[in-house]
Amino acid sequence: MEKNIKLANDLLDFIQQAPSPFHVVKEASVILEKAGFVQLKHEDRWDLKKGGRYYVTTNDSALIAWIVGSGDFEKEGFRLAQTHVDSPSIRIKPSADMKAAGGVLKLNAEVYGSPILSTWLDRPLALAGRLSLRSNSVLHPKQVLVDFDEPQLYIPNISIHHNKGVNSGVELNPQKDMLPMLGLLNAAKDGKDSLLALLADKAGCKPEDILDYDLYTSEYERGCLMGLQKELISSKKLDNLGLVYASIQALCAQTTPVGTPIICCLDNEEIGNRTRQGADSPMLSTVLERIASALGKDREDYFRSLQQSFMLSADMSHAVHPNAPDRSDPVVHVELNGGIVLKVSGAQKFTTNSESSAVFQQICETAQVPCQYYVNKSDSPGGSAAGTASITKADMRSVDIGLALYAMHSIREMGGTADNAYMHDMLEQFFKQGN
């Protein structure tokens, strides 16, 4: 239990330092470099060595890291764990300042992904992301990450006195009801009554030098442990930073792997993967082929290596709800702290088949961790996973896995401390698994 609690608190610290996809990649890079990983650039030629530790980023919001295995590359292939760094959010639009009733400065915004909108109301919100600044090189603007030590935004509910039917269910309009307020106009000092002024002050630049930005909101408060024995984790962004963090730590823990363990932390899974840094792009397959090429292998060797490879498409899953068990399959129930979730879909919304399921179950047995099945309820098909896009770009066997959550896509989700530890142990075993 002590180990589980420490791992859970380490995860909460990581999440707190990573309020946007850009900050996730930044924090991941810090951890990797402390463990001896060297950053490569896409535009450079790569010279890789056996046992070498490397990573590369795309758009500052996606990351791939690997250790070159000691075995025969064509015969051992890759041991790949794929996750995603983004979470549902309220994203700030360009030219966002809006003067509202009551002397309020609010920001024009849009929904990113599919959050449970009501959970964003009435709580301090963090504002974080990336600024793109004017530079001497037109094709290469200066990139600056911004984060604030204090909460910056708030979306107020309508009082029950003005909305008598609120407890009977209210549909929230994203353009009207989900616009965050930045503050009161008459409270600004030194004319800093705009978003650009606030950002420029934080970044140490002129407002006119901010050409654009990628800004996201999230819950400001740090997560916590709950339950009779601290067996529960309550936090923002458990989907999917819980698995991002576990994959990073498990990779760093490897010493002399036979195959090539690799983590792929993608962006934009929550909006369909179809970006340069998403699963439905050449990013992963390009890096895999470049690894082969940098090791002196030809394209034939690369394709051979894929047939010896295996991917864990790792994303969170749903626990049976204590107040609504009828929303789950009537037989297959997923429980918090019941083990790693193995996802199966006859419609192939997940990459799992009987062979990859058998492989994964034996990995869990070797790691001495439990696993449990998840299936969609037949009249409620649910979503799909990013792995289904990736395997169309890199032809390898794959299984979809995750950990159980309550309230997925709420601003604050709940998982299990034991499950979190199970994932760390399983990934460490998977990365060192030889053919």
Side-chain angles (χ1 to χ4, degrees):
M1 179 60 74
E2 187 174 332
K3 171 194 170 185
N4 295 357
I5 291 174
K6 182 182 185 307
L7 285 173
N9 275 313
D10 289 345
L11 168 60
L12 294 177
D13 289 340
F14 176 79
I15 292 174
Q16 189 66 12
Q17 295 301 316
S20 78
F22 307 102
H23 290 85
V24 176
V25 169
K26 176 186 174 183
E27 291 302 310
S29 301
V30 170
I31 295 171
L32 289 166
E33 290 186 6
K34 287 182 178 178
F37 286 77
V38 176
Q39 183 174 11
L40 304 177
K41 300 292 185 182
H42 287 289
E43 61 269 25
D44 295 340
R45 294 189 66 87
W46 294 357
D47 180 20
L48 308 184
K49 307 294 184 184
K50 293 271 189 180
R53 297 174 167 231
Y54 309 97
Y55 77 97
V56 64
T57 67
T58 299
N59 188 50
D60 299 325
S61 66
L63 177 147
I64 300 176
W66 67 94
I67 303 172
V68 179
S70 61
D72 187 328
F73 179 76
E74 302 94 304
K75 294 180 179 178
E76 293 295 338
F78 300 97
R79 302 294 174 269
L80 169 62
Q82 178 178 281
T83 61
H84 66 88
V85 302
D86 60 321
S87 300
S89 179
I90 306 298
R91 192 178 190 273
I92 307 303
K93 290 182 178 180
S95 303
D97 294 349
M98 299 174 68
K99 293 182 180 180
V104 169
L105 174 62
K106 67 180 182 180
L107 302 181
N108 197 12
E110 62 184 319
V111 172
Y112 178 90
S114 54
I116 301 175
L117 294 179
S118 62
T119 64
W120 254 256
L121 304 178
D122 302 326
R123 64 180 71 221
L125 297 175
L127 176 67
R130 179 180 68 176
L131 309 182
S132 294
L133 308 182
R134 194 181 308 277
S135 74
N136 294 328
S137 175
V138 171
L139 292 180
H140 300 282
K142 183 179 180 181
Q143 308 297 313
V144 176
L145 301 192
V146 290
D147 183 19
F148 294 88
D149 296 330
E150 298 178 347
Q152 297 297 320
L153 302 175
Y154 180 80
I155 306 174
N157 225 317
I158 300 173
S159 74
I160 194 168
H161 309 83
H162 294 152
N163 189 10
K164 298 291 187 180
V166 63
N167 290 328
S168 299
V170 173
E171 182 177 354
L172 295 171
N173 183 314
Q175 186 61 67
K176 177 178 180 290
D177 301 314
M178 300 307 297
L179 303 185
M181 57 180 288
L182 186 59
L184 301 179
L185 286 167
N186 60 10
K189 297 178 181 179
D190 303 324
K192 295 176 181 176
D193 56 354
S194 72
L195 175 62
L196 286 185
L198 177 73
L199 296 172
D201 187 55
K202 184 66 177 178
C205 67
K206 299 176 181 178
E208 57 267 29
D209 286 337
I210 301 175
L211 300 178
D212 211 336
Y213 49 70
D214 298 287
L215 294 174
Y216 300 85
T217 67
S218 64
E219 186 188 33
Y220 174 74
E221 299 293 339
R222 180 185 183 274
C224 65
L225 303 185
M226 299 178 63
L228 299 174
Q229 299 290 329
K230 296 186 177 181
E231 70 273 17
L232 303 173
I233 307 173
S234 171
S235 176
K236 59 195 169 191
K237 298 179 181 285
L238 289 177
D239 174 23
N240 197 31
L241 297 193
L243 302 184
V244 170
Y245 183 69
S247 69
I248 294 168
Q249 292 296 333
L251 182 66
C252 290
Q254 300 304 303
T255 52
T256 54
V258 178
T260 295
I262 180 167
I263 62 172
C264 179
C265 306
L266 298 161
D267 194 7
N268 303 130
E269 188 274 344
E270 299 292 356
I271 55 171
N273 300 299
R274 300 192 68 180
T275 62
R276 177 174 171 246
Q277 55 277 359
D280 197 10
S281 78
M283 180 183 72
L284 173 60
S285 59
T286 298
V287 169
L288 295 178
E289 187 167 357
R290 288 194 68 182
I291 291 172
S293 178
L295 293 172
K297 307 297 181 179
D298 61 21
R299 205 149 196 250
E300 178 82 1
D301 295 328
Y302 166 62
F303 289 133
R304 290 172 62 199
S305 74
L306 291 183
Q307 298 308 306
Q308 301 296 335
S309 300
F310 198 89
M311 180 173 74
L312 304 180
S313 173
D315 203 352
M316 290 296 185
S317 189
H318 305 284
V320 61
H321 196 288
N323 296 334
D326 57 301
R327 301 300 178 94
S328 297
D329 182 87
V331 176
V332 181
H333 283 182
V334 173
E335 298 179 357
L336 294 185
N337 292 329
I340 300 174
V341 178
L342 172 57
K343 305 179 189 179
V344 178
S345 166
Q348 290 296 285
K349 289 179 175 290
F350 307 124
T351 61
T352 308
N353 59 31
S354 62
E355 181 195 12
S356 62
S357 169
V359 170
F360 179 71
Q361 290 182 60
Q362 291 180 94
I363 292 170
C364 287
E365 289 173 2
T366 305
Q368 298 183 325
V369 302
C371 65
Q372 54 185 331
Y373 280 112
Y374 171 83
V375 294
N376 288 317
K377 192 181 179 188
S378 297
D379 59 0
S380 179
S384 59
T388 57
S390 294
I391 60 172
T392 66
K393 314 293 183 184
D395 178 19
M396 69 177 75
R397 295 175 298 163
S398 176
V399 64
D400 267 277
I401 65 166
L403 294 177
L405 289 184
Y406 292 147
M408 186 184 292
H409 289 195
S410 171
I411 200 170
R412 197 165 181 119
E413 301 159 325
M414 180 169 284
T417 56
D419 282 341
N420 181 56
Y422 293 147
M423 183 60 72
H424 281 256
D425 291 344
M426 184 280 297
L427 286 170
E428 286 192 28
Q429 177 61 42
F430 169 67
F431 285 145
K432 64 186 179 185
Q433 190 71 48
N435 274 326

